[in-house]
Amino acid sequence: MKVISVEIEQTFFQQYYFEIQFAAVFGGIFILFLLEELIPRRRTNNKNQTMRWLSNIALALINFFFSHVYVFLFIGFLLKFEPESPVLQAFNISDFGSLIIIILIIEFISYWIHRAYHTFPSLWPIHTIHHTDTEFDVTTSQRNHPFELIISSVFISPIVLLLGAPAIVLTIHYFLQTAVSLITHSNIIIPKNIDRILRWFVVTPDFHRMHHASDRKYTDSNYSIIIPIFDYLFKTSSKIDNQKLPDMELGLDVLRTSQDNRVDKLLIQPFTYRQTIRELKVK
């Protein structure tokens, strides 16, 4: 009976995977949105946030659609080159061990991809969409250009395929990454003493909020997504006084108006960002 029950649960999960993913992302946004009203870390000076909220959610829907198109197209293509004896299966590593390895490897790759966006001028315009948000709440986690999804996938997917992690491991990693990303971008308060301990093991909202500061020395730091180990290892972590965090200016020094938050402008921003900078220098 137990075996039959597990098989039914797996079949149900596979059949409704798209719906479960959708519920995880947008259900998580809704729950944290409510918590932000109850225990906010900072009070916004911008009372009219409708435009940015709508644009961020629109980007969430666009990227959610792109991610599933990607699964059907790119992953389908990669599966043709799937090794007969993937690394994790060849060494008979347990699901738990595979999860730890997957987290560390994907975090390592993601760290360097994220750092590359901040280092190379050709990549920075794509990533500026995430940083031009002048507020910081759970919807900011979804403020990413589809190009970022494509670039990350091109580097990460072949490695994951080579490792050959079980489907359940990849699923757990997806939901873990989704949950942490939503929480780390949320405007909720975590007591100082608890945050000081947590940030040794997991990225916290205060740890990541510094990455969204308008001061570039903080923007170019704290690149990690789930675990901060690589920021500590490669000396890219930063911190400021805990009391200053709520009043820290966020965003960039450009593209700060309500109209700049329109989703159509955000989608073409990788192509217009350099021109915007040139025009500002002329003025």
Side-chain angles (χ1 to χ4, degrees):
M1 291 293 293
K2 185 177 180 180
V3 174
I4 295 175
S5 177
V6 171
E7 288 179 351
I8 291 174
E9 289 175 3
Q10 288 180 342
T11 303
F12 176 84
F13 190 82
Q14 292 171 351
Q15 184 177 356
Y16 296 101
Y17 188 61
F18 177 89
E19 290 82 356
I20 294 172
Q21 280 186 312
F22 188 91
V25 173
F26 294 95
I29 290 174
F30 178 74
I31 292 170
L32 285 164
F33 195 79
L34 294 178
L35 285 175
E36 288 173 337
E37 293 298 314
L38 296 173
I39 49 172
R41 179 67 167 110
R42 53 182 276 141
R43 294 290 180 182
T44 177
N45 293 321
N46 182 10
K47 300 302 180 182
N48 185 10
Q49 299 192 68
T50 304
M51 178 69 77
R52 61 172 291 273
W53 280 334
L54 289 175
S55 294
N56 290 354
I57 295 300
L59 285 171
L61 291 168
I62 291 169
N63 284 319
F64 192 80
F65 168 78
F66 263 89
S67 69
H68 284 80
V69 171
Y70 156 78
V71 166
F72 284 111
L73 298 180
F74 188 56
I75 292 296
F77 170 76
L78 285 179
L79 285 174
K80 296 180 181 179
F81 304 95
E82 184 179 13
E84 293 184 3
S85 182
V87 175
L88 295 177
Q89 295 178 25
F91 287 93
N92 198 27
I93 298 175
S94 68
D95 287 353
F96 180 76
S98 297
L99 178 61
I100 299 302
I101 292 171
I102 285 293
I103 289 174
L104 288 172
I105 289 178
I106 292 182
E107 280 294 291
F108 178 76
I109 299 172
S110 298
Y111 168 87
W112 285 107
I113 292 175
H114 194 176
R115 193 167 172 179
Y117 278 119
H118 287 251
T119 303
F120 297 105
S122 59
L123 293 176
W124 175 241
I126 299 173
H127 191 54
T128 55
I129 293 164
H130 191 59
H131 282 276
T132 51
D133 200 342
T134 54
E135 297 296 336
F136 185 88
D137 59 34
V138 66
T139 68
T140 307
S141 67
Q142 306 302 306
R143 189 183 173 106
N144 302 292
H145 198 280
F147 286 172
E148 283 206 43
L149 171 66
I150 296 170
I151 292 171
S152 297
S153 298
V154 165
F155 284 97
I156 293 174
S157 296
I159 302 298
V160 172
L161 190 66
L162 177 65
L163 290 171
I168 186 63
V169 169
L170 296 177
T171 300
I172 292 173
H173 176 267
Y174 171 82
F175 286 111
L176 178 63
Q177 187 178 62
T178 298
V180 173
S181 179
L182 293 176
I183 293 171
T184 56
H185 286 89
S186 63
N187 182 30
I188 59 174
I189 188 167
I190 295 178
K192 180 180 178 181
N193 292 335
I194 296 177
D195 179 86
R196 186 166 55 233
I197 296 171
L198 284 177
R199 66 172 56 198
W200 283 105
F201 309 100
V202 66
V203 175
T204 66
D206 273 2
F207 182 90
H208 189 67
R209 188 178 289 106
M210 286 181 287
H211 181 72
H212 284 260
S214 61
D215 189 334
R216 194 64 191 258
K217 70 179 180 181
Y218 296 117
T219 308
D220 296 338
S221 70
N222 297 11
Y223 298 109
S224 299
I225 297 174
I226 297 178
I227 53 177
I229 182 174
F230 297 113
D231 276 309
Y232 297 139
L233 185 62
F234 297 112
K235 303 184 186 305
T236 54
S237 66
S238 65
K239 62 179 180 179
I240 63 175
D241 186 270
N242 184 267
Q243 295 180 342
K244 294 181 180 179
L245 274 169
D247 300 319
M248 180 177 61
E249 184 182 68
L250 304 174
L252 299 178
D253 56 359
V254 295
L255 301 172
R256 300 185 61 86
T257 70
S258 176
Q259 289 301 307
D260 292 324
N261 279 297
R262 277 173 30 193
V263 68
D264 59 322
K265 290 194 173 185
L266 293 176
L267 287 171
I268 65 171
Q269 192 168 298
F271 309 102
T272 61
Y273 180 77
R274 289 193 184 89
Q275 180 62 30
T276 300
I277 297 301
R278 284 195 291 267
E279 290 174 356
L280 288 172
K281 287 182 178 179
V282 171
K283 293 179 180 178

